[in-house]
Amino acid sequence: MEHDTLHNDEPPIPVESTEGGSADGSGSSDAPVPAHTPAPEPPPVPVEADAPDEAHVQRVVVVPDTKAAVRRKRTARLRLIIIIAALVMVGAAVWTFRNFSSAPLEKIASFESAVTSEVQSGFSSFPQQNVIAPRGRLTPAQATLDVKGVIADTNTERSTHGGLPALQENATLDDIATLRLDNMFAHQYFAHVSPTGESALTVASSVGYDHIALGENLAEGWFNGDQGLLDAWMASPGHRANILDTHYTQIGVAAREGMFQGRETWIAVQVFGKPASACPAPPDPALRTAIANAQNALTQMGTSLQTMKAEIDAMSPPSGSVYNQKVSDYNTLVSEYNVLAAQTKTEIERYNGAAAAYNACL
Protein backbone atom coordinates (compact mmCIF):
# COMPACT_ATOMS: atom_id res chain seq x y z
CA MET A 1 0.00 0.00 0.00
CA GLU A 2 1.45 3.22 -1.13
CA HIS A 3 1.10 6.27 0.95
CA ASP A 4 0.77 9.66 -0.62
CA THR A 5 3.57 12.01 0.19
CA LEU A 6 2.49 15.35 1.86
CA HIS A 7 4.22 18.42 0.58
CA ASN A 8 4.52 21.63 2.58
CA ASP A 9 5.13 24.57 0.45
CA GLU A 10 6.05 26.91 3.41
CA PRO A 11 9.65 26.87 4.50
CA PRO A 12 10.45 25.22 7.77
CA ILE A 13 10.66 27.34 10.87
CA PRO A 14 14.11 27.17 12.24
CA VAL A 15 14.43 26.23 15.89
CA GLU A 16 16.97 28.04 18.01
CA SER A 17 18.96 25.84 20.17
CA THR A 18 19.36 26.76 23.74
CA GLU A 19 21.87 24.15 24.56
CA GLY A 20 24.02 24.34 21.47
CA GLY A 21 22.75 20.99 20.17
CA SER A 22 20.71 20.09 17.21
CA ALA A 23 17.05 19.78 16.95
CA ASP A 24 17.12 16.08 16.59
CA GLY A 25 18.93 15.65 19.82
CA SER A 26 22.19 14.74 18.28
CA GLY A 27 23.82 17.66 20.07
CA SER A 28 25.65 19.08 17.01
CA SER A 29 25.15 20.13 13.50
CA ASP A 30 27.45 20.99 10.71
CA ALA A 31 25.23 23.68 9.22
CA PRO A 32 24.84 26.97 11.18
CA VAL A 33 21.43 27.86 12.50
CA PRO A 34 20.46 31.50 11.87
CA ALA A 35 19.47 33.62 14.97
CA HIS A 36 15.88 34.65 15.49
CA THR A 37 15.13 38.17 14.33
CA PRO A 38 11.97 39.89 15.68
CA ALA A 39 9.53 41.12 13.16
CA PRO A 40 9.61 44.88 12.59
CA GLU A 41 6.78 46.96 14.09
CA PRO A 42 4.44 48.48 11.62
CA PRO A 43 4.86 52.25 11.12
CA PRO A 44 2.42 54.46 13.02
CA VAL A 45 -0.56 55.53 11.11
CA PRO A 46 -0.74 59.33 11.10
CA VAL A 47 -3.91 60.67 12.65
CA GLU A 48 -5.04 64.19 11.86
CA ALA A 49 -5.62 66.09 15.11
CA ASP A 50 -8.72 68.07 15.55
CA ALA A 51 -8.48 71.81 16.40
CA PRO A 52 -8.05 72.29 20.19
CA ASP A 53 -11.06 73.35 22.16
CA GLU A 54 -10.15 76.51 24.15
CA ALA A 55 -12.63 75.63 26.82
CA HIS A 56 -10.79 72.44 27.54
CA VAL A 57 -7.24 73.79 27.42
CA GLN A 58 -5.62 73.25 30.83
CA ARG A 59 -3.04 75.67 32.39
CA VAL A 60 0.44 74.40 32.55
CA VAL A 61 1.97 74.88 36.04
CA VAL A 62 5.71 75.40 35.87
CA VAL A 63 7.38 73.93 38.89
CA PRO A 64 10.30 76.24 39.92
CA ASP A 65 13.76 74.97 40.24
CA THR A 66 14.21 74.27 43.98
CA LYS A 67 17.96 74.80 43.96
CA ALA A 68 17.68 78.21 42.25
CA ALA A 69 15.11 79.35 44.82
CA VAL A 70 17.40 78.34 47.66
CA ARG A 71 20.28 80.25 46.08
CA ARG A 72 18.11 83.38 45.76
CA LYS A 73 17.05 83.17 49.41
CA ARG A 74 20.63 82.85 50.52
CA THR A 75 21.63 85.86 48.40
CA ALA A 76 18.81 88.00 49.86
CA ARG A 77 19.74 86.95 53.41
CA LEU A 78 23.37 87.85 52.78
CA ARG A 79 22.42 91.26 51.46
CA LEU A 80 20.26 91.93 54.55
CA ILE A 81 23.14 90.96 56.84
CA ILE A 82 25.46 93.34 54.95
CA ILE A 83 22.94 96.22 55.25
CA ILE A 84 22.46 95.63 58.99
CA ALA A 85 26.20 95.50 59.51
CA ALA A 86 26.64 98.75 57.59
CA LEU A 87 23.97 100.49 59.72
CA VAL A 88 25.62 99.27 62.92
CA MET A 89 28.96 100.62 61.75
CA VAL A 90 27.45 104.00 60.86
CA GLY A 91 25.75 104.21 64.27
CA ALA A 92 28.98 103.34 66.00
CA ALA A 93 30.79 106.00 64.00
CA VAL A 94 28.21 108.62 64.93
CA TRP A 95 28.39 107.66 68.61
CA THR A 96 32.16 107.79 68.48
CA PHE A 97 32.09 111.22 66.84
CA ARG A 98 29.67 112.58 69.39
CA ASN A 99 31.56 111.21 72.36
CA PHE A 100 35.15 111.53 71.31
CA SER A 101 35.37 114.38 68.80
CA SER A 102 36.30 117.90 69.85
CA ALA A 103 33.25 119.89 70.94
CA PRO A 104 33.16 123.60 70.02
CA LEU A 105 33.47 126.24 72.74
CA GLU A 106 30.87 128.97 73.01
CA LYS A 107 32.05 132.56 72.74
CA ILE A 108 31.83 134.89 75.70
CA ALA A 109 29.97 138.08 74.89
CA SER A 110 31.93 141.24 75.49
CA PHE A 111 30.68 143.33 78.39
CA GLU A 112 31.91 146.89 78.50
CA SER A 113 28.80 148.72 79.73
CA ALA A 114 29.14 150.80 82.86
CA VAL A 115 27.16 153.37 84.77
CA THR A 116 28.39 156.60 83.25
CA SER A 117 25.70 159.01 84.46
CA GLU A 118 25.71 159.30 88.21
CA VAL A 119 22.67 161.05 89.64
CA GLN A 120 23.57 164.53 90.76
CA SER A 121 22.32 165.87 94.04
CA GLY A 122 19.73 168.61 94.20
CA PHE A 123 20.96 172.14 93.70
CA SER A 124 20.93 174.52 96.65
CA SER A 125 22.44 177.94 97.28
CA PHE A 126 22.71 179.83 100.54
CA PRO A 127 24.98 182.90 100.27
CA GLN A 128 27.24 183.27 103.27
CA GLN A 129 27.56 187.05 102.96
CA ASN A 130 24.71 188.67 104.86
CA VAL A 131 22.97 191.74 103.45
CA ILE A 132 22.53 194.20 106.29
CA ALA A 133 21.41 197.77 105.72
CA PRO A 134 21.50 200.42 108.47
CA ARG A 135 18.36 202.45 109.02
CA GLY A 136 19.95 205.76 108.10
CA ARG A 137 17.50 208.53 107.41
CA LEU A 138 14.73 206.34 106.00
CA THR A 139 11.30 206.83 107.41
CA PRO A 140 9.16 203.82 108.33
CA ALA A 141 7.01 204.47 105.28
CA GLN A 142 10.03 204.52 102.99
CA ALA A 143 11.38 201.27 104.45
CA THR A 144 8.14 199.33 104.10
CA LEU A 145 8.50 196.12 102.13
CA ASP A 146 5.71 194.36 100.21
CA VAL A 147 5.83 190.71 99.23
CA LYS A 148 4.20 191.24 95.84
CA GLY A 149 6.48 194.17 95.14
CA VAL A 150 9.61 192.19 96.00
CA ILE A 151 8.56 189.37 93.63
CA ALA A 152 7.78 191.82 90.81
CA ASP A 153 11.12 193.62 91.18
CA THR A 154 12.92 190.25 91.27
CA ASN A 155 11.41 189.28 87.91
CA THR A 156 12.33 192.69 86.51
CA GLU A 157 15.97 192.02 87.36
CA ARG A 158 15.77 188.61 85.70
CA SER A 159 14.30 190.08 82.56
CA THR A 160 16.83 192.90 82.45
CA HIS A 161 19.81 190.61 82.94
CA GLY A 162 19.63 187.98 80.24
CA GLY A 163 15.92 187.91 79.45
CA LEU A 164 15.32 185.13 81.96
CA PRO A 165 11.77 183.80 82.44
CA ALA A 166 9.79 185.16 85.35
CA LEU A 167 9.58 183.15 88.57
CA GLN A 168 6.12 181.98 89.61
CA GLU A 169 5.00 182.68 93.14
CA ASN A 170 4.38 179.46 95.04
CA ALA A 171 2.27 179.35 98.20
CA THR A 172 4.34 176.58 99.77
CA LEU A 173 7.54 178.57 99.23
CA ASP A 174 5.78 181.61 100.79
CA ASP A 175 5.05 179.44 103.84
CA ILE A 176 8.68 178.28 104.03
CA ALA A 177 9.89 181.89 103.88
CA THR A 178 7.44 182.92 106.62
CA LEU A 179 8.49 180.04 108.90
CA ARG A 180 12.11 180.96 108.43
CA LEU A 181 11.39 184.64 109.18
CA ASP A 182 9.42 183.86 112.33
CA ASN A 183 12.12 181.49 113.59
CA MET A 184 14.83 184.16 113.26
CA PHE A 185 12.81 186.69 115.22
CA ALA A 186 11.88 184.05 117.78
CA HIS A 187 15.44 182.85 118.35
CA GLN A 188 17.18 186.15 117.65
CA TYR A 189 19.59 185.00 114.99
CA PHE A 190 20.17 186.05 111.40
CA ALA A 191 21.62 183.17 109.34
CA HIS A 192 20.72 180.41 106.91
CA VAL A 193 20.97 177.82 109.67
CA SER A 194 19.51 178.29 113.14
CA PRO A 195 21.37 177.39 116.34
CA THR A 196 19.22 174.26 116.47
CA GLY A 197 20.01 173.27 112.88
CA GLU A 198 16.89 174.53 111.17
CA SER A 199 17.24 175.74 107.57
CA ALA A 200 15.24 176.27 104.42
CA LEU A 201 16.02 172.66 103.45
CA THR A 202 14.67 171.20 106.69
CA VAL A 203 11.56 173.38 106.56
CA ALA A 204 10.92 172.43 102.92
CA SER A 205 11.11 168.77 103.90
CA SER A 206 8.76 169.25 106.85
CA VAL A 207 6.08 170.98 104.73
CA GLY A 208 6.40 168.47 101.89
CA TYR A 209 7.95 170.62 99.17
CA ASP A 210 9.68 168.00 96.99
CA HIS A 211 12.33 169.87 95.06
CA ILE A 212 15.38 169.44 92.93
CA ALA A 213 16.67 172.96 93.46
CA LEU A 214 16.33 175.25 96.45
CA GLY A 215 17.94 178.56 97.40
CA GLU A 216 17.53 181.30 99.98
CA ASN A 217 18.36 185.03 100.19
CA LEU A 218 18.25 186.94 103.51
CA ALA A 219 18.34 190.66 104.25
CA GLU A 220 18.13 192.59 107.52
CA GLY A 221 17.86 196.33 107.98
CA TRP A 222 16.19 199.35 106.50
CA PHE A 223 15.90 199.47 102.74
CA ASN A 224 14.42 202.10 100.45
CA GLY A 225 11.38 200.06 99.50
CA ASP A 226 11.24 196.92 97.42
CA GLN A 227 13.62 198.14 94.75
CA GLY A 228 16.10 199.27 97.42
CA LEU A 229 16.06 195.73 98.79
CA LEU A 230 16.65 194.27 95.29
CA ASP A 231 19.51 196.73 94.71
CA ALA A 232 21.20 195.51 97.89
CA TRP A 233 20.83 191.86 96.89
CA MET A 234 22.01 192.48 93.33
CA ALA A 235 25.11 194.16 94.72
CA SER A 236 26.06 190.95 96.55
CA PRO A 237 27.49 188.26 94.21
CA GLY A 238 25.93 185.32 96.04
CA HIS A 239 22.48 186.85 96.29
CA ARG A 240 22.64 188.11 92.71
CA ALA A 241 23.45 184.58 91.52
CA ASN A 242 20.32 183.27 93.22
CA ILE A 243 18.12 185.93 91.63
CA LEU A 244 19.47 185.23 88.13
CA ASP A 245 19.85 181.45 88.44
CA THR A 246 18.25 179.50 85.60
CA HIS A 247 17.59 176.46 87.79
CA TYR A 248 14.76 178.12 89.64
CA THR A 249 11.19 178.36 88.39
CA GLN A 250 9.31 179.34 91.57
CA ILE A 251 9.69 181.88 94.38
CA GLY A 252 8.30 182.60 97.84
CA VAL A 253 8.86 185.78 99.87
CA ALA A 254 8.27 186.91 103.47
CA ALA A 255 9.19 190.28 105.00
CA ARG A 256 8.20 192.12 108.17
CA GLU A 257 9.42 194.54 110.78
CA GLY A 258 10.17 193.33 114.31
CA MET A 259 12.39 193.56 117.39
CA PHE A 260 15.77 192.01 116.72
CA GLN A 261 18.59 192.13 119.26
CA GLY A 262 17.06 195.14 121.02
CA ARG A 263 16.19 197.24 117.98
CA GLU A 264 13.44 197.60 115.41
CA THR A 265 14.42 196.28 111.99
CA TRP A 266 13.17 194.55 108.86
CA ILE A 267 14.02 191.01 107.91
CA ALA A 268 13.28 189.82 104.37
CA VAL A 269 13.47 186.23 103.14
CA GLN A 270 13.49 184.99 99.54
CA VAL A 271 13.12 181.24 98.88
CA PHE A 272 13.76 179.97 95.34
CA GLY A 273 12.78 176.54 94.20
CA LYS A 274 12.26 174.10 91.37
CA PRO A 275 9.80 171.30 92.14
CA ALA A 276 10.72 167.70 91.44
CA SER A 277 7.63 167.43 89.24
CA ALA A 278 9.29 169.73 86.72
CA CYS A 279 11.84 167.05 85.80
CA PRO A 280 11.80 163.38 84.82
CA ALA A 281 12.02 161.02 87.74
CA PRO A 282 15.57 160.07 88.72
CA PRO A 283 16.55 156.43 88.29
CA ASP A 284 15.46 154.09 91.04
CA PRO A 285 18.28 153.54 93.58
CA ALA A 286 17.24 149.88 93.72
CA LEU A 287 18.14 149.59 90.04
CA ARG A 288 21.61 150.91 90.78
CA THR A 289 22.00 148.29 93.51
CA ALA A 290 20.81 145.52 91.18
CA ILE A 291 23.33 146.62 88.55
CA ALA A 292 26.16 146.51 91.08
CA ASN A 293 25.15 143.01 92.19
CA ALA A 294 25.00 141.81 88.59
CA GLN A 295 28.42 143.27 87.84
CA ASN A 296 29.87 141.42 90.82
CA ALA A 297 28.27 138.18 89.63
CA LEU A 298 29.68 138.69 86.13
CA THR A 299 33.14 139.21 87.58
CA GLN A 300 32.95 135.94 89.52
CA MET A 301 31.59 134.05 86.51
CA GLY A 302 34.34 135.48 84.33
CA THR A 303 36.98 134.21 86.74
CA SER A 304 35.41 130.72 86.73
CA LEU A 305 35.30 130.70 82.94
CA GLN A 306 38.99 131.55 82.71
CA THR A 307 39.84 128.65 85.02
CA MET A 308 37.63 126.22 83.10
CA LYS A 309 39.07 127.36 79.76
CA ALA A 310 42.61 126.80 81.01
CA GLU A 311 41.72 123.24 82.08
CA ILE A 312 40.15 122.50 78.70
CA ASP A 313 43.13 123.86 76.78
CA ALA A 314 45.48 121.71 78.85
CA MET A 315 43.67 118.45 77.98
CA SER A 316 45.36 116.20 75.42
CA PRO A 317 43.98 114.96 73.20
CA PRO A 318 41.10 117.43 72.96
CA SER A 319 38.50 114.69 72.66
CA GLY A 320 36.68 112.04 74.61
CA SER A 321 33.72 111.98 76.96
CA VAL A 322 35.57 113.72 79.82
CA TYR A 323 36.75 116.48 77.51
CA ASN A 324 33.27 116.98 76.06
CA GLN A 325 31.72 117.08 79.54
CA LYS A 326 34.07 119.89 80.54
CA VAL A 327 33.27 121.69 77.31
CA SER A 328 29.54 121.24 77.99
CA ASP A 329 29.92 122.67 81.51
CA TYR A 330 31.96 125.56 80.12
CA ASN A 331 29.40 126.31 77.41
CA THR A 332 26.55 126.21 79.94
CA LEU A 333 28.28 128.80 82.12
CA VAL A 334 29.09 130.91 79.05
CA SER A 335 25.40 130.94 78.12
CA GLU A 336 24.45 132.04 81.64
CA TYR A 337 27.15 134.71 81.55
CA ASN A 338 25.99 136.05 78.19
CA VAL A 339 22.35 136.20 79.29
CA LEU A 340 23.22 138.07 82.49
CA ALA A 341 25.57 140.38 80.59
CA ALA A 342 22.84 141.27 78.10
CA GLN A 343 20.32 141.91 80.87
CA THR A 344 22.79 144.03 82.84
CA LYS A 345 23.71 146.02 79.75
CA THR A 346 20.04 146.83 79.19
CA GLU A 347 19.59 147.89 82.82
CA ILE A 348 22.69 150.08 82.68
CA GLU A 349 21.45 151.78 79.52
CA ARG A 350 18.10 152.42 81.19
CA TYR A 351 19.78 153.77 84.31
CA ASN A 352 22.16 156.00 82.36
CA GLY A 353 19.34 157.36 80.24
CA ALA A 354 17.20 158.21 83.25
CA ALA A 355 20.14 159.76 85.09
CA ALA A 356 21.18 161.86 82.10
CA ALA A 357 17.63 163.15 81.58
CA TYR A 358 17.32 163.96 85.28
CA ASN A 359 20.69 165.68 85.50
CA ALA A 360 19.98 167.76 82.41
CA CYS A 361 16.88 169.10 84.12
CA LEU A 362 18.68 170.21 87.27
Side-chain angles (χ1 to χ4, degrees):
M1 176 176 187
E2 293 179 359
H3 295 284
D4 294 332
T5 303
L6 296 178
H7 297 279
N8 188 0
D9 294 334
E10 293 181 358
I13 299 173
V15 177
E16 181 180 1
S17 175
T18 60
E19 298 292 336
S22 62
D24 57 359
S26 61
S28 62
S29 176
D30 293 336
V33 180
H36 174 71
T37 301
E41 294 181 359
V45 179
V47 179
E48 184 179 355
D50 296 334
D53 187 359
E54 294 182 358
H56 293 84
V57 174
Q58 296 181 352
R59 294 181 179 274
V60 177
V61 178
V62 179
V63 178
D65 189 346
T66 305
K67 293 183 179 181
V70 171
R71 285 196 299 269
R72 285 194 295 271
K73 289 183 179 180
R74 289 178 179 176
T75 302
R77 188 180 298 110
L78 180 59
R79 289 177 180 174
L80 179 60
I81 292 173
I82 293 174
I83 292 174
I84 293 174
L87 291 176
V88 171
M89 294 177 65
V90 170
V94 171
W95 183 87
T96 302
F97 175 80
R98 290 182 176 177
N99 289 275
F100 295 98
S101 63
S102 299
L105 298 177
E106 297 289 339
K107 292 184 178 180
I108 301 176
S110 60
F111 181 76
E112 300 177 354
S113 300
V115 175
T116 57
S117 298
E118 295 291 348
V119 178
Q120 299 176 5
S121 59
F123 176 82
S124 61
S125 177
F126 303 96
Q128 298 302 313
Q129 181 183 1
N130 293 325
V131 173
I132 300 175
R135 179 171 181 175
R137 297 181 179 181
L138 294 175
T139 63
Q142 293 174 324
T144 300
L145 299 175
D146 176 69
V147 169
K148 300 296 184 182
V150 171
I151 293 175
D153 289 343
T154 299
N155 284 329
T156 298
E157 295 294 340
R158 287 174 62 87
S159 177
T160 302
H161 298 85
L164 303 178
L167 300 174
Q168 301 300 314
E169 183 178 8
N170 179 270
T172 303
L173 291 181
D174 284 340
D175 292 341
I176 294 172
T178 300
L179 291 172
R180 293 284 294 126
L181 177 64
D182 292 343
N183 189 264
M184 282 185 277
F185 274 121
H187 297 280
Q188 295 292 290
Y189 72 94
F190 179 66
H192 291 292
V193 181
S194 73
T196 59
E198 184 181 67
S199 67
L201 290 172
T202 61
V203 175
S205 178
S206 66
V207 299
Y209 183 77
D210 190 11
H211 62 278
I212 57 176
L214 194 73
E216 182 183 66
N217 279 351
L218 300 178
E220 184 267 317
W222 295 79
F223 301 93
N224 189 7
D226 303 328
Q227 187 58 53
L229 174 62
L230 262 297
D231 290 341
W233 274 331
M234 291 295 289
S236 169
H239 298 81
R240 177 189 177 94
N242 272 347
I243 292 172
L244 302 180
D245 198 298
T246 58
H247 291 93
Y248 303 129
T249 59
Q250 297 176 339
I251 187 174
V253 174
R256 71 178 176 88
E257 181 183 2
M259 184 64 65
F260 180 72
Q261 296 180 354
R263 56 187 176 83
E264 283 287 332
T265 189
W266 281 83
I267 295 180
V269 179
Q270 275 184 323
V271 179
F272 305 93
K274 184 175 185 176
S277 59
C279 291
D284 188 353
L287 177 60
R288 183 68 181 87
T289 301
I291 290 173
N293 294 336
Q295 288 174 323
N296 291 335
L298 287 170
T299 299
Q300 295 176 1
M301 293 171 70
T303 301
S304 297
L305 287 171
Q306 291 178 355
T307 302
M308 296 172 69
K309 182 65 166 54
E311 293 177 354
I312 293 172
D313 292 341
M315 294 185 70
S316 180
S319 61
S321 59
V322 176
Y323 174 85
N324 283 346
Q325 184 60 51
K326 286 185 175 294
V327 170
S328 177
D329 295 341
Y330 176 86
N331 289 343
T332 298
L333 186 57
V334 168
S335 298
E336 294 175 0
Y337 178 95
N338 291 343
V339 169
L340 181 59
Q343 293 176 347
T344 305
K345 181 179 180 181
T346 300
E347 292 177 349
I348 289 175
E349 291 174 352
R350 180 158 60 94
Y351 182 93
N352 286 341
Y358 177 81
N359 293 340
C361 185
L362 296 180

